[in-house]
Amino acid sequence: MNSQELKGQIRSYDSRLDSMSEKLERLKKVKDSLIHKQETITEGITILTAVLSVSQTQILEFIRGVVATALQYVYGDDYNFRMEFEFKRNQAELVLTPVRGDLIYDPRYSCGVGVVDVCSFALRIALWALKEPRSSAVIIADEPFRHVHGTAENERLTGMIKNLSKTLGLQFIIITGDGSLQTEADRVFEVVIENGESVVTQL
């Protein structure tokens, strides 16, 4: 190889080196851009996670507050309601628990079916309030408090229903055989069977 050929080869290598240097600079810029995007996405995920956490906390607190208020109206201020996540079978489960003072009830066994009736009714109302879009602001319930016993407790149910109606702008149509619920109702209708037909009378 003579000197001219060697010089030509060197120039070729120089040209290739310049080209590779340019590509390297472009790749560095792409890398910097990707790093910036990754940081932005990571920051966005962090913010979104925080927002979702706050939203979830607010939703749970709203539901808990509605149910706790209903329980306190009917059974007294020492009642409350807990909502906590527990991990079972590799997934999160929301555990709903009535509480009385320091006593934590298992709603399946130990708190009384009347307490479960009140919790179930209040949960239904809270979930209706959170629904988007909401259905009509009318709740129809057939004997929702059939297991609530005691004259005082049944009388306090009317206060609880009135409070929910006023707070959430709801109209309740409740079918019941318990006359104590009539005391605060805006309208009361009696239905009796006569000769095989339902006869409706406004009281």
Side-chain angles (χ1 to χ4, degrees):
M1 180 180 295
N2 58 38
S3 61
Q4 289 296 349
E5 290 175 337
L6 185 58
K7 288 179 181 179
Q9 195 171 26
I10 291 173
R11 283 195 297 271
S12 175
Y13 285 139
D14 285 341
S15 177
R16 290 174 60 187
L17 183 60
D18 290 340
S19 176
M20 293 179 68
S21 296
E22 291 175 1
K23 287 182 180 179
L24 180 60
E25 288 300 319
R26 288 198 299 271
L27 289 173
K28 285 181 178 180
K29 290 179 180 179
V30 171
K31 176 186 173 185
D32 291 340
S33 176
L34 290 174
I35 290 174
H36 177 69
K37 287 181 180 178
Q38 182 185 27
E39 290 172 350
T40 302
I41 291 171
T42 301
E43 183 179 357
I45 291 173
T46 302
I47 293 172
L48 181 59
T49 301
V51 170
L52 290 174
S53 176
V54 170
S55 299
Q56 176 178 283
T57 301
Q58 290 175 336
I59 289 170
L60 293 181
E61 183 56 29
F62 171 78
I63 296 172
R64 190 209 64 77
V66 170
V67 180
T69 300
L71 284 171
Q72 289 163 8
Y73 255 97
V74 180
Y75 290 106
D77 290 341
D78 54 339
Y79 273 82
N80 213 322
F81 192 70
R82 285 174 44 175
M83 303 178 69
E84 295 180 343
F85 281 102
E86 294 182 1
F87 281 91
K88 298 179 180 179
R89 298 178 291 277
N90 295 321
Q91 63 181 6
E93 293 184 5
L94 184 59
V95 179
L96 311 178
T97 313
V99 177
R100 184 180 185 184
D102 296 328
L103 182 61
I104 300 172
Y105 288 121
D106 184 330
R108 296 170 297 177
Y109 311 114
S110 61
C111 63
V113 188
V115 171
V116 174
D117 278 353
V118 174
C119 290
S120 299
F121 183 82
L123 282 168
R124 179 182 176 188
I125 303 310
L127 293 176
W128 172 86
L130 291 170
K131 184 179 178 182
E132 287 293 341
R134 290 179 180 174
S135 58
S136 299
V138 178
I139 299 293
I140 302 174
D142 185 6
E143 294 285 358
F145 309 111
R146 64 176 62 88
H147 298 109
V148 177
H149 302 298
T151 302
E153 286 81 359
N154 275 280
E155 288 177 353
R156 288 195 290 266
L157 279 172
T158 60
M160 181 266 287
I161 295 168
K162 280 282 189 181
N163 178 266
L164 288 174
S165 176
K166 182 178 180 180
T167 302
L168 300 174
L170 267 171
Q171 179 183 9
F172 292 102
I173 299 174
I174 296 177
I175 302 165
T176 179
D178 193 324
S180 60
L181 290 180
Q182 300 176 11
T183 56
E184 296 295 330
D186 295 325
R187 293 184 184 181
V188 178
F189 296 89
E190 182 181 54
V191 182
V192 296
I193 303 296
E194 294 183 0
N195 300 320
E197 295 184 359
S198 297
V199 179
V200 182
T201 305
Q202 182 173 348
L203 301 179

